[in-house]
Amino acid sequence: MTRPQRPIAGAQSRPALPRHVRMHFDERRGAWALLSPEKVLWPDEISLAILRRCDGRSEAGAIARSLALDYEADEDEVLADVLAFLQDWSDRMVVRL
Amino acid sequence: MSEAGPGLPIGILAELTHRCTLQCAYCSNPLELLKADKELGTAEWRSIFEQAADLGILQVHLSGGEPILRPDLAELVGVLASRGLYSNLITAGVGLDETLTARLAAAGLDHVQISFQGARPETTEAIGRLRGSHEKKLAAARAVRAAGLPLTVNAPIHRRNIEEVELFIDLALELGAERLEIANVQYYGWALLNRPALMPPREAVERQIGIVEAARAALRGVLAIDFVAPDYYASFPKACMGGWARDAFMITPDGTAMPCHAAASIPGLRFDNAARLPLTEIWNRSPAFEAYRGTGWMNERCRGCERRDIDFGGCRCQAMALTGDPTETDPACSLSPLHAHVLALAESDAASAEATIHPRRIGGARAGELTR
């Protein structure tokens, strides 16, 4: 059979959380958790800022632009960071591109 | 245990029943299976799950036996969903049809894991001892997909199916699964009893690892492959349960709260029942949970080891089963003086042409109930 290809993150990708991953605010620990079948991930502030924008509609380029504004950072540098993050998390199946 | 006491637990494995449609020779249920009349009722599980949410639990794995044999399964899923807990149904899939999947999805189920005993129909039937089971599992997987639920294919691996690992990968892709678990059988309870008929030879294990590593690289972002190593052949033991009563535990069909599946095999441990004692109290003070929590119980070899906080001395139940002393270093560890002995056990079991097994069913562990 032909095997599906590895998704590659680009500025036009519209990332979303895959259906087996769910964000949950954990009251007891006072932190956001990313719940998946066998794992619980605790994203840091920057990861969380990216993940919140992964709504399946916004392009990675627009996400980077919005983050650059919020954090007063260089847009190109932010885009590179966002794409690296998305690629890594897509490879681990916790983000869908 | 640290002076601060235990942290908050993350997960519970809830074994809702020991009843099952299959009779797999490596079942993680105990040899003495509980009958239906010993199972907790709906109200008791509801209360346990509410308490679990209050305690900080984030994930509940609904398992068995076969959890879909519980008529209140969707109701229990609903309780978990109402508290934001991630619910994972661990099923053999036989009987999981579109109606039930749709009900579970509507109740808020997050994820389904379906076991396949073989990648080939004849293997699935022979291992689970149920005719037509493979087709039923395929139908279940498609029903899961139709309901829009994510899917993990779980493949328990042993000598009788280890050559099907590549086919398992194809199967997971065909079914559109997000995850595949290649889980080599761990030898406790039924699997320990049937070890001579199940242990794979080392060469097959090495071939398997090569296949899994290549597939992981080729399928990045397409299929997540989790691998549970066969620890008799490993250099270091598994971090069993992520450490004894450290962030997860289990509850048996009658409510017994245990740090792991096999904990009852350790003599003298005192367990509490989650239907009778508050879950917080069990987590913080149950004698069985306290027994091997942290590092205080360790012998000097483990306590002084740089891997102490990585694998926690390995598995207490395996230390018990193979050395007779639950505080010993898990002999799957190459630093254990008994490691060579364990390797020899594995090699001799693997080389034996043993084909008879004790089928997993009530009374099946007794001598005289053997089958091929």
Side-chain angles (χ1 to χ4, degrees):
Chain A
M1 63 185 281
T2 36
R3 292 184 162 183
Q5 294 290 307
R6 173 195 187 195
I8 301 296
Q12 276 81 50
S13 304
R14 295 172 192 269
L17 292 188
R19 55 189 158 186
H20 60 283
V21 175
R22 187 153 64 70
M23 285 243 261
H24 171 78
F25 186 75
D26 177 6
E27 304 274 352
R28 282 298 302 265
R29 297 166 182 84
W32 283 93
L34 211 62
L35 307 179
S36 71
E38 293 290 327
K39 273 198 282 284
V40 176
L41 302 173
W42 303 96
D44 61 20
E45 189 198 330
I46 298 291
S47 307
L48 206 53
I50 301 174
L51 290 169
R52 282 180 194 293
R53 290 165 167 83
C54 292
D55 55 12
R57 296 185 300 274
S58 313
E59 291 188 354
I63 291 174
R65 200 150 47 241
S66 135
L67 287 169
L69 279 173
D70 279 9
Y71 289 86
E72 295 175 12
D74 178 77
E75 193 180 317
D76 289 342
E77 280 176 28
V78 173
L79 179 62
D81 289 348
V82 166
L83 293 182
F85 172 91
L86 291 176
Q87 189 61 57
D88 179 35
W89 282 52
S90 164
D91 285 348
R92 293 192 281 143
M93 305 278 300
V94 275
V95 159
R96 185 166 53 79
L97 294 175
Chain B
M1 190 176 117
S2 70
E3 285 177 17
L8 298 175
I10 285 177
I12 293 184
L13 176 74
E15 285 184 345
L16 300 179
T17 179
H18 279 163
R19 290 172 288 139
C20 195
T21 50
L22 304 185
Q23 300 182 5
C24 307
Y26 44 77
C27 182
S28 57
N29 289 160
L31 298 179
E32 291 303 324
L33 296 164
L34 293 170
K35 294 185 183 166
D37 61 356
K38 297 277 193 272
E39 291 175 14
L40 297 186
T42 310
E44 289 162 313
W45 279 116
R46 286 189 79 106
S47 162
I48 289 170
F49 292 157
E50 293 282 357
Q51 294 177 59
D54 294 339
L55 179 58
I57 293 283
L58 297 170
Q59 287 179 314
V60 173
H61 306 279
L62 298 165
S63 179
E66 177 50 74
I68 69 169
L69 296 177
R70 292 273 309 204
D72 54 359
L73 183 61
E75 183 181 345
L76 296 177
V77 166
V79 176
L80 298 173
S82 73
R83 298 297 306 270
L85 299 188
Y86 193 97
S87 53
N88 179 21
L89 176 64
I90 300 180
T91 173
V94 175
L96 183 62
D97 59 13
E98 289 197 7
T99 313
L100 180 56
T101 343
R103 274 181 63 211
L104 294 170
L109 184 66
D110 283 301
H111 178 266
V112 181
Q113 174 171 320
I114 299 181
S115 64
F116 278 82
Q117 286 61 46
R120 295 192 174 98
E122 57 274 25
T123 312
T124 301
E125 291 191 5
I127 304 299
R129 300 174 52 77
L130 181 68
R131 191 160 300 165
S133 51
H134 196 78
E135 288 70 22
K136 293 190 172 99
K137 286 161 182 284
L138 293 176
R142 292 186 190 114
V144 166
R145 274 294 175 245
L149 290 167
L151 174 70
T152 289
V153 168
N154 171 252
I157 303 292
H158 44 82
R159 185 162 86 233
R160 295 173 164 206
N161 68 1
I162 195 165
E163 300 304 340
E164 296 181 25
V165 167
E166 273 175 310
L167 296 176
F168 274 120
I169 295 167
D170 289 342
L171 177 68
L173 288 171
E174 269 169 42
L175 293 173
E178 279 86 3
R179 276 177 77 247
L180 169 64
E181 269 188 25
I182 300 284
N184 283 268
V185 163
Q186 305 292 308
Y187 294 94
Y188 306 96
W190 292 95
L192 188 61
L193 187 67
N194 288 313
R195 197 183 65 197
L198 295 172
M199 184 64 76
R202 182 196 273 273
E203 312 78 67
V205 168
E206 280 164 9
R207 234 178 0 258
Q208 168 194 228
I209 291 172
I211 291 168
V212 168
E213 281 175 358
R216 272 183 172 166
L219 296 169
R220 270 185 303 175
V222 174
L223 179 69
I225 305 179
D226 279 7
F227 182 72
V228 179
D231 60 2
Y232 279 49
Y233 291 117
S235 303
F236 295 112
K238 58 182 174 284
C240 197
M241 296 297 286
W244 184 276
R246 190 161 167 270
D247 58 26
F249 61 100
M250 64 157 312
I251 300 176
T252 69
D254 69 357
T256 309
M258 306 205 295
C260 70
H261 279 111
S265 66
I266 298 179
L269 282 185
R270 237 176 66 231
F271 300 103
D272 289 310
N273 190 295
R276 293 197 282 273
L277 207 64
L279 214 51
T280 311
E281 209 161 303
I282 292 178
W283 176 249
N284 287 314
R285 282 188 289 279
S286 180
F289 285 45
E290 289 286 286
Y292 305 110
R293 198 173 237 159
T295 54
W297 57 271
M298 285 181 177
N299 63 28
E300 282 178 20
R301 187 185 314 114
C302 287
R303 201 179 307 145
C305 180
E306 56 178 20
R307 294 181 57 85
R308 182 184 70 184
D309 299 314
I310 299 173
D311 50 37
F312 313 102
C315 171
R316 296 306 87 226
C317 307
Q318 186 148 279
M320 179 66 217
L322 298 178
T323 77
D325 177 359
T327 65
E328 246 308 330
T329 305
D330 181 343
C333 182
S334 52
L335 301 171
S336 158
L338 291 163
H339 185 65
H341 167 66
V342 166
L343 200 55
L345 278 180
E347 284 171 345
S348 111
D349 278 350
S352 80
E354 185 59 63
T356 50
I357 56 152
H358 296 264
R360 176 242 189 251
R361 60 182 177 226
I362 289 175
R366 286 192 288 272
E369 269 227 43
L370 287 173
T371 183
R372 276 181 186 260

